[in-house]
Amino acid sequence: MANNVFDLSELRKLIDEQAAVPPQPAEEPTAGEHEALTFPPVLLAPDAELAATVPTVPLVADAIRLTTWTGAREVSADGHLREADAAAAADELALPAARLRLVWIVAVNTGLLRIAGGRASRGPLSTHLTAEAMLEFWDGVVMDVLDRADEGLTGSAVVDGHLAEMLATIYSVRSGVATANLARGILQSHEVACAPGPVEMRRIAAELPAELLEALSLLTYCGMVEQTAAGRTALTPLGVWAIRRDLLREGHDAPTTEEVEVFADLSAAELVEALVKGSATQSAVAGWLERRPPESAARDLIEIAASGTAGQRGAVGAILEELGPEAQAPVRQALDHPMTRRYAASWLHIRDLEAPPLSPEDHTWIAVDSLSALMHLSGPVAGRLDPPEPGEDLIKLVAAMPGVGHPDTVAVLDMLAAAHDDQAVVKAARKAAMKARSLEHTKLG
């Protein structure tokens, strides 16, 4: 999704609430931040059913009517209808001028119309499409609509700037979102992203309700949203399908219910293995946890972490993130194991539960373990780890690594020496690796 303006921590909190898992600690987004989010699973309508409704979308129906009306005629230098033709089309098809332009763009970009040699004529798109082809056509329609946000789709610069994230928010709440809540989210995000002055903010707040209603009316015309019986805004079945497509393109985790259910009955060891290999994403975790008591789930996971690899500990940590204080009994037992005690203490600290303090050496050990996990993990789970940031602090951290007794220290230092872009880090890693090997040899001796 383009134009990241909704507060990531608030969107994550909303997603977590809808998925019935404890929200993660809020983080402040940085400028230009692009973070992969995990959305609740959705139940998609059958492809044939969705495809059958595409021609009934008002925007699509008007694009087909405009194609028929256009026939073959000359167009302007920029590929649009000439002024007189545009006025005639708007009048005969009962289309406002702003919507006529959008309809024309959709008709041309999806292949209903073709522009060649300064003339428009019927395009290459077949009038008889398979369900799969019809949904690809629909995907193109929605992409055309969303791409217009950069050029003034809704008539509101504020709504256009927040459009992609607004749709993602509606996607995460299948029961729909009240218009007032959408407006509040836009105002808060605009204030954070654009820092308008008090006078400007009051003006935007006064104008936004009417602008948002107009924007939602346009999105309804485009077949993407609808009003629920409770008066909330929800995505249509076609809207759910299209926004999920867009979320996946942007690298977010947006599973279907069917995809998640595959993992729900796996054993703890099988789920961890799937996460390590990248065949399962974090979205599978909530469904898996729903099928078992928190204490039982945590106990099975900690047993794997205690005897497993760094990669397995990383995957276990990603699952345990979703559990709250109800799982603290087995986590406290993990304090007694050398491979899990640091993670257990950190887990307890984050939840404001009593826990032993972690020393600087403990934090260095965790850093080594996180870097080692990155060498084992595939897919989105690796992105949930918190490896150290580059710079002087990393050089100091590298120098401390040989002294913490992690079994993967040499492998991690060799990886940093071979792959890091900062030559100062490479030099420090080589020196530390030599020291770590020397320490290992001394212990063996």
Side-chain angles (χ1 to χ4, degrees):
M1 289 255 173
N3 305 326
N4 186 19
V5 290
F6 269 97
D7 188 323
L8 281 174
S9 64
E10 289 301 313
L11 181 54
R12 186 191 296 113
K13 180 179 178 182
L14 178 61
I15 291 168
D16 287 341
E17 287 171 352
Q18 295 302 314
V21 296
Q24 301 171 26
E27 298 173 3
E28 290 297 321
T30 57
E33 178 183 2
H34 176 81
E35 179 177 341
L37 298 173
T38 295
F39 288 82
V42 294
L43 181 63
L44 297 178
D47 284 0
E49 182 180 317
L50 289 170
T53 61
V54 170
T56 69
V57 170
L59 171 61
V60 175
D62 284 343
I64 294 171
R65 291 197 303 138
L66 180 58
T67 298
T68 302
W69 181 90
T70 300
R73 68 182 65 222
E74 293 184 359
V75 293
S76 64
D78 61 355
H80 287 269
L81 286 171
R82 292 178 169 182
E83 186 174 342
D85 285 337
D91 181 56
E92 293 179 35
L93 300 177
L95 287 172
R99 288 195 179 177
L100 176 65
R101 181 176 178 83
L102 176 62
V103 172
W104 179 265
I105 290 171
V106 167
V108 172
N109 288 354
T110 58
L112 285 169
L113 285 170
R114 171 168 42 200
I115 307 294
R119 293 180 62 81
S121 60
R122 181 172 290 279
L125 187 70
S126 170
T127 55
H128 301 286
L129 298 177
T130 64
E132 181 181 2
M134 182 63 81
L135 288 176
E136 289 298 325
F137 166 79
W138 169 243
D139 187 41
V141 170
V142 173
M143 288 179 68
D144 272 332
V145 170
L146 296 182
D147 285 347
R148 301 282 81 70
D150 293 333
E151 304 170 7
L153 172 68
T154 69
S156 168
V158 174
V159 174
D160 284 340
H162 294 67
L163 182 61
E165 276 61 45
M166 182 181 78
L167 289 170
T169 300
I170 299 171
Y171 178 91
S172 73
V173 188
R174 295 301 302 125
S175 59
V177 183
T179 305
N181 289 342
L182 287 176
R184 189 178 303 114
I186 289 173
L187 287 171
Q188 291 173 347
S189 299
H190 188 76
E191 186 172 20
V192 171
C194 302
V199 174
E200 176 70 4
M201 198 64 196
R202 284 195 295 273
R203 182 191 67 78
I204 292 171
E207 295 175 353
L208 183 61
E211 291 179 349
L212 181 56
L213 288 176
E214 184 63 30
L216 292 175
S217 174
L218 176 63
L219 293 173
T220 300
Y221 169 76
C222 294
M224 297 172 66
V225 305
E226 59 188 359
Q227 292 297 114
T228 69
R232 300 182 172 209
T233 298
L235 294 181
T236 63
L238 278 173
V240 172
W241 185 94
I243 297 304
R244 176 175 177 267
R245 262 291 187 92
D246 202 39
L247 291 171
L248 292 174
R249 266 192 294 266
E250 293 296 323
H252 298 298
D253 184 13
T256 64
T257 303
E258 185 179 20
E259 289 171 344
V260 170
E261 286 178 348
V262 171
F263 301 98
D265 292 324
L266 295 182
S267 68
E270 290 170 334
L271 178 63
V272 168
E273 186 66 17
L275 289 168
V276 169
K277 290 182 176 179
S279 59
T281 62
Q282 191 67 15
S283 58
V285 170
W288 186 85
L289 289 173
E290 287 174 2
R291 301 284 183 94
R292 45 200 46 81
E295 283 197 18
S296 174
R299 188 170 290 108
D300 291 345
L301 291 166
I302 289 168
E303 183 179 337
I304 295 168
S307 60
T309 65
Q312 289 172 319
R313 283 190 293 278
V316 166
I319 303 171
L320 291 178
E321 278 184 19
E322 311 294 356
L323 293 176
E326 66 275 8
Q328 69 172 303
V331 174
R332 287 196 179 282
Q333 293 174 3
L335 291 170
D336 297 329
H337 195 282
M339 301 303 285
T340 57
R341 67 172 181 82
R342 301 167 184 84
Y343 288 113
S346 178
W347 188 95
L348 292 166
H349 277 301
I350 288 171
R351 288 154 183 79
D352 294 324
L353 300 170
E354 184 180 353
L358 290 172
S359 67
E361 290 76 15
D362 289 329
H363 287 293
T364 301
W365 192 97
I366 290 174
V368 175
D369 206 51
S370 296
L371 289 167
S372 180
L374 290 175
M375 296 191 292
H376 292 85
L377 292 173
S378 301
V381 176
R384 298 181 74 90
L385 298 180
D386 189 23
E389 294 292 331
E392 291 185 12
D393 288 343
L394 179 55
I395 294 173
K396 294 177 182 177
L397 182 65
V398 165
M401 286 181 179
V404 298
H406 193 289
D408 296 338
T409 298
V410 172
V412 166
L413 290 169
D414 284 344
M415 180 267 291
L416 289 173
H420 206 280
D421 293 333
D422 189 334
Q423 287 302 307
V425 173
V426 170
K427 183 178 179 180
R430 287 174 178 165
K431 182 177 179 180
M434 291 176 61
K435 182 177 180 180
R437 286 187 172 90
S438 176
L439 289 172
E440 280 188 353
H441 180 74
T442 300
K443 289 178 182 178
L444 288 173

